[in-house]
Every structure is written in C-alpha cells, then in structure tokens.
Amino acid sequence: MNLKGRSFLTLKDYTADEIEYLIELAEDLKKKKKEGITGNSLKGKNIALIFEKPSTRTRCSFTVACVDEGGHPEYLGKDDIQLGHKESVEDTARVLGRMFDGIEFRGYKQETVEKLAKYSGVPVWNGLTDTYHPTQILADFLTLKEQFGKLKGLKMVYVGDGRNNMANSLMIGASKLGIHFTILAPKALWPSEELIKECSQYAIESKSQLLVSDSLEAVAGADAIYTDVWCSMGEEDLAAERIALLKPYQVNDALMDLSQKEHTIFLHCLPAVKGNEVTEEVFERFADVIFNQAENRMHTIKAIMVATLGNN
Ligand code: CP
Ligand code: NVA
C-alpha cells in the first residue's frame, strides 16, 4: 500500500483498504514500541504542529510519534504564529511548505486544513476541526479490534451530540469499514442530511447498517457504546441548552444495560465531563479500555506519518 505524499483531512478521502492498512501498521508499530524498538522513518523530517485549539492527546501523540521515528516536531500555538492574525492561510501554508516536510493542524474550520494542504505542497494531517476528527477514529477502531479481534460486523452506538466532529467521523469510518453504526441523539442534534446520504452509500458498499435514531431502544445489540462531550471546543456558551437536550442520553448503567449484551464496552475520545455525557461509575468501570484508546492515538498517528511521509 503506497500512501506517500497523501494528506489526511477526512476519512472520506481514504478507501476501506487504506484505513485498514493504517490500523494494521499501527498494530505493528505498537508491538515494536512495547518491545523497545523505535524506527527512523522520519529521520531528517521536520513536522509543524499548528494548534488553534488546546489539546493533550493529539499534541502529545504527534510529538512522541515524531520523535520515536527520528523526526523533529515544532509546536506552533495560536499566538505563536501569524496565521489568523496578520497572514492568510494561503501565505502561511506556502511558507511552512518551504520549511517543513509535514504539517498537523487542529483548529476551527475544515476549510483551513484543506487550504493548508492545497497551498503547502506537503502532507497535512487533520488533528481536529469543527467538522471532522479523523485521526481519532483510527485509534478508536484499533481499540475495537484489540477488544473483539475484528471490526466488520460489530455494532457501535454513538450517543450524544450527533452532529459534532466525532459523530461525523465515526459515521464515515464505520460505514466504510462494515461496522453497523447508530447515532442516538435528539433530532435537533442529528448529522446533516447530506452526510447521512453519503455514508448510507458507503454502508451499502460495506454491507453494514447505518441508523440515526432518537429512541434509546437503538442501543440494543451494541458491542460498543461511544460518547463525547456535549459541548465541543468553541461551544462552551451552549452548555445549559445542551444539558437540557441531552440529559436523557447520558451513558449510565441503565443505558449500558439496554445493549442486552454481556460484553458491551464503553469508549470515549476524551476529555470527558463526568456527570454529563457519562457517569463516573461507567467511566471508571471501563477506564482500562478508555485509556488504552487514548494510548492508541499515539500508535495510529505514528502510522499516518510513517505511511504518508516516512522513508521506509
Ligand atoms: N481526543 C482528543 O483529541 O484529545 P485532545 O483534545 O486532548 O487532543
Ligand atoms: N467534540 C470534541 C472532541 C474532542 C476531542 C471537541 O471538538 O471538543
């Protein structure tokens, strides 16, 4: 599989085979790291890490993964560079593309990460925008694969804000890879019709079921229940409204029981607001799998950089 030179802006741009390849590469890199073996695939490569929004997992994953592979990461916070203050995205991209071999971007607009890719001429990786969070999905699916030994045919139910970056990206990834996927959310927070339509087509091709529902009965049969914060970064003012809308969709013991399966696991991309989208009890019961999921951010992000930019 040759992904050299490719950007990673949304999972829409990647085939099921390419996504599966990245997960397999991450498995291999994780195994090697546990054995104390790191590589030099990014030797001589300089990586820019642009963060308009804060981050723990994504920033640390890009930094550690880059250093593990012999590269040099450079953190560029929102107040450190001219982007968005005195310089256009197009000009910043053209400057960074002359100095760096790859660029990670986390921020608000999907349009920004797309412009960075278009104008820099180097691989650009989306570390989260308001619309998508594609690197997270690779870690989520690696975790699912470790838990169940497979992906195809599993059923995942995402509960909560059904139109945020996580819901959008999980829906794209799951429907491409043949994971039966349900978004359980109040109608006011359903994904866009356009994206549902697009993902329904992926689901037909992968022979999986895609459902959007506001009824808790949709949890039945779930192998994994997933949630995310009720207010994403930048939406803090909407807290009261969201709590009122989403209270019935909190992941608690009663909701977990609705799966009617013994082995159902709980996943969360983190950071979590315990007491809102998930109870402390459920969170702690699944702490091992949740923090393994967080660790898997690093192995999967390493796989993306190695595959798209690595020397070997
Ligand atoms: N899950 C995730 O992207 O975490 P950070 O916001 O800490 O990067
Ligand atoms: N939906 C969340 C994801 C955080 C990783 C946010 O955008 O804040």
Side-chain angles (χ1 to χ4, degrees):
M1 180 77 59
N2 184 358
L3 303 177
K4 292 283 176 280
R6 296 263 299 271
S7 285
F8 192 76
L9 307 178
T10 159
L11 290 171
K12 286 184 194 180
D13 300 338
Y14 279 68
T15 64
D17 283 352
E18 288 169 344
I19 298 168
E20 279 162 10
Y21 167 76
L22 288 170
I23 295 169
E24 280 162 24
L25 180 58
E27 283 178 299
D28 186 47
L29 292 166
K30 180 173 182 177
K31 190 165 161 279
K32 288 207 173 97
K33 171 113 180 174
K34 301 279 173 199
E35 290 165 0
I37 306 165
T38 49
N40 59 2
S41 182
L42 299 176
K43 193 171 184 315
K45 308 281 189 198
N46 291 292
I47 311 287
L49 306 178
I50 307 177
F51 282 84
E52 279 182 351
K53 290 177 178 175
S55 164
T56 300
R57 278 144 291 268
T58 310
R59 174 183 178 173
C60 297
S61 295
F62 271 98
T63 305
V64 172
C66 179
V67 171
D68 272 358
E69 288 296 324
H72 168 79
E74 185 68 24
Y75 179 78
L76 305 169
K78 71 172 169 26
D79 297 322
D80 300 330
I81 53 174
Q82 312 283 15
L83 179 71
H85 307 289
K86 285 176 75 176
E87 200 160 41
S88 68
V89 179
E90 291 85 340
D91 289 358
T92 302
R94 284 181 285 184
V95 173
L96 296 180
R98 300 272 179 137
M99 301 188 189
F100 290 93
D101 303 288
I103 300 170
E104 179 278 351
F105 173 81
R106 163 171 291 199
Y108 294 90
K109 295 184 187 155
Q110 180 68 15
E111 188 193 349
T112 308
V113 77
E114 282 168 8
K115 275 191 189 165
L116 281 171
K118 183 171 175 194
Y119 291 95
S120 68
V122 298
V124 172
W125 309 292
N126 181 353
L128 179 149
T129 62
D130 290 345
T131 322
Y132 301 120
H133 194 8
T135 65
Q136 177 72 49
I137 309 311
L138 298 182
D140 301 341
F141 290 178
L142 172 57
T143 311
L144 271 184
K145 200 173 167 191
E146 288 171 342
Q147 290 290 316
F148 295 102
K150 63 169 190 176
L151 290 174
K152 213 169 170 56
L154 291 177
K155 175 171 176 176
M156 179 189 269
V157 177
Y158 172 92
V159 191
D161 179 2
R163 34 100 278 156
N164 72 9
N165 41 21
M166 280 310 309
N168 289 343
S169 289
L170 280 169
M171 182 161 71
I172 299 167
S175 57
K176 283 201 172 202
L177 263 55
I179 299 169
H180 304 305
F181 186 70
T182 297
I183 288 194
L184 173 55
K187 284 197 176 73
L189 296 173
W190 281 8
S192 74
E193 281 295 331
E194 196 186 337
L195 189 62
I196 296 174
K197 212 170 141 198
E198 212 169 330
C199 291
S200 300
Q201 191 53 44
Y202 300 146
I204 290 170
E205 285 158 28
S206 74
K207 299 190 174 51
S208 62
Q209 286 148 17
L210 174 61
L211 180 73
V212 181
S213 171
D214 61 356
S215 161
L216 293 183
E217 286 164 21
V219 173
D223 297 297
I225 294 173
Y226 198 119
T227 194
D228 181 16
V229 288
W230 288 347
C231 289
S232 288
M233 287 177 271
E235 297 182 334
E236 290 75 12
D237 293 353
L238 299 172
E241 183 187 313
R242 287 284 167 78
I243 290 170
L245 258 175
L246 287 164
K247 199 78 195 156
Y249 297 89
Q250 181 190 61
V251 181
N252 48 34
D253 285 321
L255 188 137
M256 290 297 296
D257 287 345
L258 290 175
S259 80
Q260 295 160 31
K261 275 189 170 173
E262 286 278 306
H263 65 248
T264 308
I265 62 165
F266 170 73
L267 295 171
H268 196 307
C269 55
L270 304 179
V273 183
K274 292 171 223 171
N276 270 7
E277 73 271 9
V278 60
T279 57
E280 178 100 35
E281 292 75 24
V282 170
F283 186 93
E284 289 305 328
R285 196 142 46 86
F286 291 95
D288 277 354
V289 65
I290 296 167
F291 290 105
N292 189 41
Q293 182 187 3
E295 178 191 325
N296 284 342
R297 296 297 310 287
M298 198 282 285
H299 305 297
T300 45
I301 279 171
K302 189 186 282 179
I304 296 165
M305 289 196 288
V306 166
T308 58
L309 185 63
N311 294 316
N312 43 42

